[in-house]
Amino acid sequence: MTVPMPMSARGAVVLVAVLCVAPFAAAQSKVPSPSAKGTISAAGSETPALSVVEWLQRMHTASRQRSYAGTFVVSAAGGNLSSARIWHVCEGDFQFERVEVLSGPPRSTFRRNDHVMTFLPETKIVKSEKRENLELFPNLLGAPDSALGNYYGARVVGKDRVAGFDTDVVQLEPRDGLRFGYRIWSERRSGLVVKLQTLDGENRVIEQSAFSELQLDAPVKAQALAHMMASTAGYKIEKSELERSTPLKEGWALRTPIAGFKPVSCYRRAMGAATGGEQGHTMQWIFSDGLATVSLFVEPYDPTRQAREVLLALGATYTLTRKLTNKDGDWWLTVVGEVPPQTLDGFAQSLVRAR
């Protein structure tokens, strides 16, 4: 059963994850390819003669070193829209960002490096958590994995204009049915990603993220964002506590690896309704092919909360839920990723109890 979710739900997911919008897009595009050189656009002017890896490194550098402010819009194939206002500034080794959601329930999200705080004014709650870039985007700070060329091809497909800026367009094409394709618009002078499309197997756009208005080198003050981030008076602070773990320690393994996807990290987190003991924890096991990520969440089965097995469609992100039964009892599996449903099913079929 596939359940399409309203765009407001997808928008909330994207716009919070897009906390570092350009770094996200740059990380999505971190793929080496045999298509190394630029091409001639329809207008006849030549794009810079960079390899694809150089293109993507340039995008990533721009996202971390340039200050900007703009309005970011996320749209799905169904036509629904979500938007947010984003401010980003770099100060030495610190990255500061502010995201104000403009559609749906009000929320403000701030990031200082890996510390993220989300303000929910309607409930007067602030959610505080740590997010590690390497956890979200493997090899982001290191050399690209040469194996990615086995799963994606890449080519420069032309030029365009987005939010008033001239851009180069790079297309990333999957070599199998286990992953989506991407089309990326990179601002010509800085390399900043200003638009990103996710493409299905028929090359149709299933989700698009883009700046509708953008100011590069905007006068964004890190001190002002830090002050706003610290202004929690009148709010209840809820901290998300994650404990590093391993699948072996948690008692899980994959019977068969999913082509191209490598384990990145594993966490153990307390369940909200339970306290102490193994029954009160959820395992999150994260995989990535260097471009797309998949998370496996496993927790004890509770029939009062987990009644249906479904496949949820949230723009380019799919969520699959399934009940697992073994000698230790019943478990509830949730698999989430920006990949086709068959990839999530492959993970679900392969997951086995290891003890």
Side-chain angles (χ1 to χ4, degrees):
M1 177 180 182
T2 303
V3 180
M5 297 296 288
M7 189 57 192
S8 58
R10 172 59 186 163
V13 172
V14 170
L15 293 173
V16 171
V18 126
L19 195 46
C20 23
V21 174
F24 171 80
Q28 289 259 6
S29 43
K30 189 172 184 298
V31 180
S33 164
S35 303
K37 300 299 182 181
T39 61
I40 305 298
S41 71
S45 57
E46 188 174 355
T47 62
L50 302 176
S51 72
V52 171
V53 172
E54 289 170 333
W55 274 111
L56 303 174
Q57 290 174 338
R58 183 171 183 259
M59 294 173 188
H60 171 54
T61 299
S63 72
R64 294 184 61 85
Q65 296 182 356
R66 300 297 293 266
S67 296
Y68 56 85
T71 301
F72 193 74
V73 179
V74 180
S75 60
N80 295 318
L81 298 174
S82 291
S83 59
R85 182 72 181 168
I86 298 173
W87 296 261
H88 176 273
V89 63
C90 309
E91 190 172 274
D93 293 331
F94 288 93
Q95 300 279 319
F96 291 87
E97 283 168 342
R98 173 189 174 194
V99 177
E100 289 284 343
V101 174
L102 302 178
S103 52
R107 79 169 60 205
S108 302
T109 305
F110 295 85
R111 179 178 75 93
R112 182 177 59 241
N113 287 355
D114 63 351
H115 185 201
V116 176
M117 296 184 69
T118 301
F119 289 71
L120 307 174
E122 292 184 338
T123 57
K124 292 297 181 180
I125 291 175
V126 176
K127 295 185 179 293
S128 177
E129 59 184 316
K130 295 285 187 178
R131 295 183 187 171
E132 301 178 22
N133 287 339
L134 288 177
E135 170 186 308
L136 293 174
F137 315 122
N139 295 320
L140 191 60
L141 302 179
D145 188 343
S146 59
L148 284 172
N150 297 328
Y151 305 105
Y152 293 94
R155 58 194 175 96
V156 179
V157 295
K159 300 175 183 289
D160 202 353
R161 189 166 169 80
V162 176
F165 292 93
D166 292 328
T167 65
D168 295 300
V169 188
V170 180
Q171 185 148 332
L172 309 180
E173 299 167 328
R175 301 188 188 279
D176 58 29
L178 296 177
R179 54 211 96 226
F180 290 131
Y182 301 91
R183 193 177 295 129
I184 304 162
W185 282 253
S186 171
E187 198 274 321
R188 186 160 302 145
R189 289 187 300 172
S190 68
L192 187 70
V193 173
V194 296
K195 182 176 176 179
L196 171 70
Q197 291 179 342
T198 305
L199 312 174
D200 67 11
E202 302 298 321
N203 215 34
R204 295 171 299 196
V205 178
I206 54 178
E207 184 172 287
Q208 175 174 289
S209 307
F211 283 101
S212 62
E213 173 271 326
L214 176 65
Q215 180 184 3
L216 285 178
D217 300 319
V220 183
K221 301 298 183 183
Q223 184 176 0
L225 296 188
H227 177 75
M228 297 172 70
M229 186 175 182
S231 300
T232 58
Y235 282 81
K236 176 185 176 183
I237 300 177
E238 295 183 353
K239 294 185 177 181
S240 176
E241 301 294 341
L242 295 179
E243 176 187 345
R244 286 192 177 274
S245 187
T246 66
L248 183 60
K249 182 178 178 181
E250 300 302 317
W252 297 95
L254 285 188
R255 182 187 298 110
T256 305
I258 308 303
F261 286 89
K262 299 179 180 180
V264 176
S265 56
C266 181
Y267 292 95
R268 173 183 172 96
R269 69 177 73 213
M271 295 171 59
T275 57
E278 185 169 341
Q279 295 301 307
H281 290 82
T282 299
M283 179 192 75
Q284 180 185 6
W285 192 3
I286 304 169
F287 294 81
S288 177
D289 65 356
L291 185 56
T293 59
V294 174
S295 286
L296 280 61
F297 297 89
V298 185
E299 60 188 276
Y301 177 68
D302 181 351
T304 65
R305 296 191 307 116
Q306 302 149 339
R308 282 196 311 167
E309 297 186 352
V310 296
L311 177 65
L312 304 177
L314 302 173
T317 299
Y318 283 84
T319 302
L320 178 150
T321 62
R322 186 165 295 175
K323 181 182 177 182
L324 305 177
T325 300
N326 54 50
K327 59 184 177 61
D328 292 337
D330 296 330
W331 304 84
W332 189 250
L333 170 65
T334 302
V335 192
V336 183
E338 61 275 12
V339 293
Q342 59 265 30
T343 307
L344 301 187
D345 185 66
F347 275 100
Q349 295 284 353
S350 186
L351 185 67
V352 294
R353 195 70 174 148
R355 66 182 182 197

